[in-house]
Amino acid sequence: MSLDAAAWAAVALSLRVALVATLLGLPLAIAVAWLLARKQFWGRGLLNGVVHLPLVLPPVVTGYLLLLAFGTQGPIGGFLRDSFGITLAFRWTGAVLAAAIMAFPLTVRAIRLGFESVPKGLEDAAATLGASRVRVFLTVTLPLIAPAVLAGAVLGFAKSLGEFGATITFVAAIPGQTQTIPSAIYALLQVPGQDGAVVSLVVISIVLAMGTLALAEWLSRRMTARIAG
């Protein structure tokens, strides 16, 4: 493939960002999905709306809001910089944050459907046998929703790989630092004679996406078979 070092760096960074964003966002997604599926509380509708807001907002708006909040002059970004020396804006860690936020609604949605498919009677039966809530969750609920968790993680990973608008607004597209596959493709499209490199990155994107989906399908079938067995 006709790719230079900068393009390959974009591929590596995209994989790194997507993986870290998925791993960091998954525990919170499970917790939020459980709240939305199992609990009735004041503000539940508001929480549901906030969780799904990145799906309906233009990605550039999400990126701009991240810049306002987590930029070096923002309330959260300024606090992190002054207190811990952490800077997110225009850093690869900022790309992780943007990708995690954009992928979060898809991950929560998939896991929430998994919680809603588990009969509440199974959890209640385990509780009546003396198991604590934590033990019921870890030994009954979590194994049953494992395929849904996997589906949510895959959706989040795939979304993170393809995230563009929020990422480029929040961290720009600095080659070797914050430039991911989508921003690299966009940059190459502005340069005449780079069609070959663009096609190569597009092919890589498709292969990564299809490979991720195929792996997830295989793992999901194995999990489902193990649960059924």
Side-chain angles (χ1 to χ4, degrees):
M1 292 187 177
S2 55
L3 295 177
D4 58 14
W8 283 115
V11 174
L13 182 61
S14 290
L15 290 170
R16 183 183 184 186
V17 166
L19 180 60
V20 175
T22 302
L23 292 177
L24 291 180
L26 193 58
L28 182 59
I30 293 174
V32 172
W34 177 80
L35 278 175
L36 293 175
R38 287 284 191 257
K39 297 296 181 179
Q40 296 292 330
F41 54 91
W42 185 90
R44 181 173 177 271
L46 178 61
L47 174 61
N48 186 58
V50 171
V51 166
H52 290 89
L53 196 59
L55 284 181
V56 295
L57 277 179
V60 174
V61 173
T62 302
Y64 180 67
L65 293 175
L66 287 174
L67 192 59
L68 289 179
F70 291 92
T72 55
Q73 303 302 317
I76 303 177
F79 172 76
L80 291 175
R81 181 197 60 190
D82 297 339
S83 302
F84 305 103
I86 298 174
T87 301
L88 296 176
F90 308 109
R91 300 288 192 276
W92 79 272
T93 49
V96 170
L97 177 62
I101 288 176
M102 295 300 296
F104 194 70
L106 297 176
T107 307
V108 170
R109 179 71 175 172
I111 298 174
R112 179 181 175 180
L113 292 175
F115 276 118
E116 292 174 346
S117 69
V118 175
K120 192 69 168 58
L122 290 178
E123 298 172 323
D124 294 339
T128 59
L129 295 175
S132 66
R133 289 182 179 273
V134 174
R135 186 175 181 182
V136 169
F137 180 82
L138 293 177
T139 61
V140 177
T141 309
L142 196 56
L144 290 175
I145 67 165
V149 172
L150 177 62
V154 170
L155 286 173
F157 182 84
K159 175 62 176 176
S160 297
L161 273 179
E163 165 49 30
F164 174 67
T167 301
I168 200 170
T169 305
F170 184 41
V171 300
I174 306 171
Q177 297 184 42
T178 64
Q179 188 177 71
T180 56
I181 293 176
S183 56
I185 291 175
Y186 179 79
L188 288 170
L189 286 172
Q190 314 308 309
V191 182
Q194 294 296 322
D195 294 348
V198 170
V199 170
S200 296
L201 283 176
V202 169
V203 170
I204 289 174
S205 297
I206 295 172
V207 169
L208 288 175
M210 292 300 296
T212 300
L213 293 174
L215 177 61
E217 180 68 20
W218 179 74
L219 290 173
S220 180
R221 287 181 178 178
R222 290 203 62 179
M223 286 184 181
T224 303
R226 181 172 297 180
I227 293 172

